Amino acid sequence: MRALLVVNPKATTTSERSRDVLVRALRSEVDLTVEYTLRRGHAAALCRAAAESGVDVVVTLGGDGTVNEAVNGLMNADAALAGRGATPAYRLPALGVVPGGSTNVFARALGLPRDWADGTSVILDGLRDGRHRVIGLGRADDRYFTFTAGIGLDAAVVRRVEQARLRGRTSTPALYVRSMVAQFLSGEDRKSPPLSLERPGESVESELSTIIIQNTAPWTYVGDRPINPNPQASFDHGLDVLAVRRLKVSSTTRTVTQMASLKGDPHGREVLRLHDQAEFAVVSTRPQAFQLDGDYLGERQKVHFASVPQALRVIC
């Protein structure tokens, strides 16, 4: 069995020693090639080339950004592999994820351990037993995502966090909370919500301030606590949506509190929730911050979202 290990050398929770241990462990089971990412987008290129060359398994060591790039590389290779199976999940290499970032939402949503060493053991056992799960993905225009997308406040917070990290700050739950409060208090889009949500055959939902799209639950974690805007979201269903109409102080505080509760399930007059959506578009009257899987991707005025069922095999 041929495998590619894609390593993000800047992964926050691993060291050179731990990477060496992982490489030796994987080489005991598979014919392994190891590649280190050098720049943004490199993991996608490596994984696409691996899929097109017939590699059986791709394993990532990094955070959610590395996983997102790997998934996009694999999915973009699918057109060249159309004769190898009935669905993308069985045409493409299986994906193994060893958590190495600060949050690792995708790995944790799959039930994988937070610790890289324990995660490696799960991958090795899965390889020996041929154990995997087929999951669906989300797609935003021509880019895939594994667990979340966001337009508006959510993405603007991600932008603030990335700017802080460029200044040398460490990504922590406290940094996200401070960034969210600062973005909210900036007052952008609170008086004239710019977003609309358009669904085939349905009336347009307009005057929305921020939209969160989930492909699974939870949406993210604050430390060990899962944050669940859409608790019913699942890799086995379509996309779930939480939209907030107006960012009033009282109603927004209540919504955030509901999201952070153990039950999740935010509701209220300013909240729009949609479950198991196959496709929809988000349109804005002015450019809005946009993120996929926790990576800020600039500003957009229109994005088409679609659910991609049974897209990928994941070792679990």
Side-chain angles (χ1 to χ4, degrees), residues 129-188:
D129 300 338
R131 188 173 61 243
H132 64 264
R133 176 183 177 184
V134 176
I135 65 167
L137 298 172
R139 189 176 67 234
D141 290 338
D142 59 352
R143 182 153 178 170
Y144 295 87
F145 59 96
T146 62
F147 65 93
T148 191
I151 299 179
L153 175 65
D154 161 47
V157 171
V158 172
R159 177 175 59 196
R160 281 182 177 264
V161 170
E162 289 196 2
Q163 290 171 345
R165 293 179 66 181
L166 289 174
R167 296 193 298 269
R169 300 289 299 277
T170 301
S171 179
T172 63
L175 176 60
Y176 275 90
V177 171
R178 287 194 298 270
S179 298
M180 182 177 67
V181 172
Q183 185 64 36
F184 179 78
L185 294 177
S186 71
E188 294 180 28

Side-chain angles (χ1 to χ4, degrees), residues 205-220:
E205 297 283 356
S206 57
E207 294 191 314
L208 306 173
S209 293
T210 189
I211 298 177
I212 292 170
I213 299 101
Q214 287 177 244
N215 186 50
T216 190
W219 167 53
T220 190

Side-chain angles (χ1 to χ4, degrees), residues 213-237:
I213 299 101
Q214 287 177 244
N215 186 50
T216 190
W219 167 53
T220 190
Y221 292 84
V222 176
D224 291 328
R225 177 182 286 273
I227 307 298
N228 259 325
N230 293 292
Q232 291 182 298
S234 168
F235 290 122
D236 300 322
H237 297 147

Side-chain angles (χ1 to χ4, degrees), residues 34-45:
V34 182
E35 296 281 2
Y36 288 80
T37 59
L38 303 176
R39 59 191 178 277
R40 194 165 190 170
H42 193 196

